[in-house]
Amino acid sequence: MENTDLPVLENIKTLHKYDTIYSADSVEWCPHEPNQNLFVCGNYQLTEEQEFNSNNKRLGRILLFTLTTDLKLLQTLDTAAVLDQKWCPNQINGSSILGVVNAKRALEIYKLQNSFLVLVTKYTFLEDQSTETLILSLDWSTGKTESQHPHVACSDSKGNIHLLQLINNELVMEKSWHGHDFQAWITGFYYWDPNIIFSGGDDAVFLKFDKRAGDSPVAKNKQHETGVTSFHSNKSKEFLVATGSYDEHVRLWDVRSIKNPLNQLKMPGGVWRLKWDPFSQRYLLAACMFGGLHVMEAQSDKMVILDSYYEHKNITYGADWSFLNCNGNVIIGSCSFYDHLLCVSNFTCDF
């Protein structure tokens, strides 16, 4: 079943715009009180020379912002180019923890301390000397069940999936395996059972792994027409997960059988990021690269775009919901690449 309804509302209103200088590709809001007004924006600076010469540096920054009545930059961290960032859903020893993966084959862990990010530890993955390796995505295992020793899954540009665990402020490698023939754009946990890990790659394959069953996938799906770029598990609705693809579709799946999607929706552009809302997990926020930013109602029997946002003109990569919910007014952060634009917006909806 495919629904192609177009948006009819205009409930996304810009509150702030910010020039990030470097190209922007990631926005992530802190989920924990009293820091839910804080968020990070990740940058990946690509020059013409760097695009064709991998020996040059890929520059990056992590920008930490606070939102009150105004938008204020609190901190700038110069790093390798940032590919993805995720806050750990639960606090570790009372601190908010941020995971960041970058173009220097590293997973970095920061903690929020007095409204500043402090590096706790990092893990650098082994390099295949023939070509460079980028760590493309990460996810935490604790989207539903808290742990003081959470696992982190990462994917890389060689098609590999890595599973690590954060133990006493140190990252311990548990296992790595090869999943995709090309870039593994995304990996993520099934939050109802973190033994289950999904991945999607540029080979247009969507894979399900069970770490108790070895390194081979326990299920494989080839229905995406082009690369699988996004995945998010729904923490409120058991068995429900969502994927996005370059083929301009968002698909919903039942994890018990990923042979066919439960539902799918054609979007206005290739889908790069999908985020379930943190309140009801009924809505998806979709960053659609050249097709704008969209809020959609996403259920197995109903998929429809509720509203669209077109302030970003050049590759909308980053998108996230704030955990602040003021009487149905929800804050959204989004960013785009070549126009290095960060936007903070208000979305009005009945959650």
Side-chain angles (χ1 to χ4, degrees):
M1 175 163 66
E2 181 167 336
N3 191 320
T4 57
D5 292 350
L6 295 176
V8 295
L9 303 176
E10 294 183 355
N11 292 329
I12 304 177
K13 305 294 185 183
T14 304
L15 300 176
H16 304 282
K17 291 184 179 182
Y18 188 93
D19 185 345
T20 60
I21 310 301
Y22 282 6
S23 300
D25 62 6
S26 167
V27 174
E28 298 288 331
W29 288 86
C30 183
H32 311 123
E33 295 181 345
N35 298 312
Q36 292 177 338
N37 61 317
L38 301 182
F39 70 93
V40 287
C41 178
N43 296 171
Y44 183 133
Q45 184 62 18
L46 183 69
T47 68
E48 250 182 65
E49 292 77 15
Q50 288 160 356
E51 191 169 359
F52 298 103
N53 183 354
S54 62
N55 293 321
N56 285 328
K57 284 185 177 180
R58 299 172 187 264
L59 303 177
R61 285 176 179 160
I62 302 169
L63 306 178
L64 177 66
F65 291 90
T66 181
L67 178 68
T68 51
T69 53
D70 295 316
L71 180 65
K72 180 182 178 182
L73 178 65
L74 294 177
Q75 185 181 14
T76 300
L77 289 170
D78 289 307
T79 68
V82 173
L83 278 302
D84 194 16
Q85 307 175 100
K86 296 286 192 320
W87 295 94
C88 183
N90 65 274
Q91 292 184 314
I92 306 297
N93 296 322
S95 296
S96 297
I97 302 296
L98 177 71
V100 181
V101 290
N102 65 38
K104 282 193 174 179
R105 314 186 321 277
L107 165 62
E108 298 179 338
I109 303 296
Y110 295 86
K111 72 174 179 179
L112 197 58
Q113 184 172 300
N114 299 322
S115 296
F116 288 95
L117 292 170
V118 178
L119 182 65
V120 174
T121 188
K122 68 184 293 185
Y123 185 93
T124 302
F125 297 87
L126 294 176
E127 173 70 304
D128 174 357
Q129 297 300 325
S130 61
T131 54
E132 67 178 344
T133 303
L134 309 180
I135 311 303
L136 299 175
S137 76
L138 79 149
D139 195 22
W140 295 89
S141 61
T142 53
K144 186 170 178 62
T145 304
E146 293 190 5
S147 172
Q148 289 298 297
H149 305 293
H151 283 83
V152 185
C154 299
S155 64
D156 71 29
S157 56
K158 302 293 179 57
N160 301 312
I161 314 299
H162 310 279
L163 183 64
L164 305 93
Q165 189 172 17
L166 182 62
I167 303 175
N168 298 327
N169 291 332
E170 294 293 335
L171 285 165
V172 178
M173 171 61 76
E174 187 167 304
K175 62 186 300 187
S176 295
W177 66 94
H178 190 71
H180 297 270
D181 292 336
F182 302 104
Q183 294 95 331
W185 290 123
I186 193 71
T187 189
F189 287 96
Y190 172 52
Y191 294 144
W192 293 73
D193 181 357
N195 290 300
I196 306 297
I197 298 170
F198 287 87
S199 67
D202 210 41
D203 51 6
V205 177
F206 176 44
L207 298 176
K208 175 184 177 182
F209 298 93
D210 187 330
K211 72 176 187 177
R212 300 162 296 190
D215 296 343
S216 297
V218 295
K220 178 185 292 189
N221 180 280
K222 297 183 178 180
Q223 288 204 11
H224 300 81
E225 296 174 17
T226 51
V228 183
T229 53
S230 189
F231 169 87
H232 202 195
S233 176
N234 191 304
K235 69 177 183 180
S236 294
K237 299 175 179 65
E238 191 175 6
F239 311 124
L240 184 65
V241 301
T243 61
S245 170
Y246 286 136
D247 69 11
E248 302 187 351
H249 282 76
V250 173
R251 294 175 173 87
L252 301 182
W253 307 87
D254 186 320
V255 299
R256 293 167 294 184
S257 175
I258 61 168
K259 184 177 180 180
N260 295 298
L262 297 170
N263 205 342
Q264 60 184 341
L265 179 65
K266 177 75 160 57
M267 303 299 288
V271 182
W272 184 252
R273 278 291 175 264
L274 289 174
K275 299 284 185 66
W276 290 105
D277 78 84
F279 310 108
S280 66
Q281 288 78 54
R282 178 182 173 186
Y283 304 101
L284 276 171
L285 184 63
C288 290
M289 301 178 70
F290 293 104
L293 180 76
H294 309 274
V295 175
M296 53 191 297
E297 186 172 1
Q299 302 179 70
S300 58
D301 60 347
K302 181 182 181 181
M303 292 185 75
V304 59
I305 295 174
L306 297 179
D307 206 358
S308 300
Y309 185 73
Y310 292 106
E311 289 298 315
H312 298 286
K313 306 304 181 186
N314 209 320
I315 311 189
T316 308
Y317 271 150
D320 197 20
W321 307 86
S322 164
F323 289 73
L324 299 167
N325 183 5
C326 303
N327 300 318
N329 292 309
V330 180
I331 305 299
I332 291 171
S334 55
C335 67
S336 43
F337 199 73
Y338 289 112
D339 54 358
H340 35 88
L341 177 64
L342 167 70
C343 292
V344 177
S345 308
N346 180 82
F347 175 63
T348 303
C349 187
D350 181 12
F351 284 93

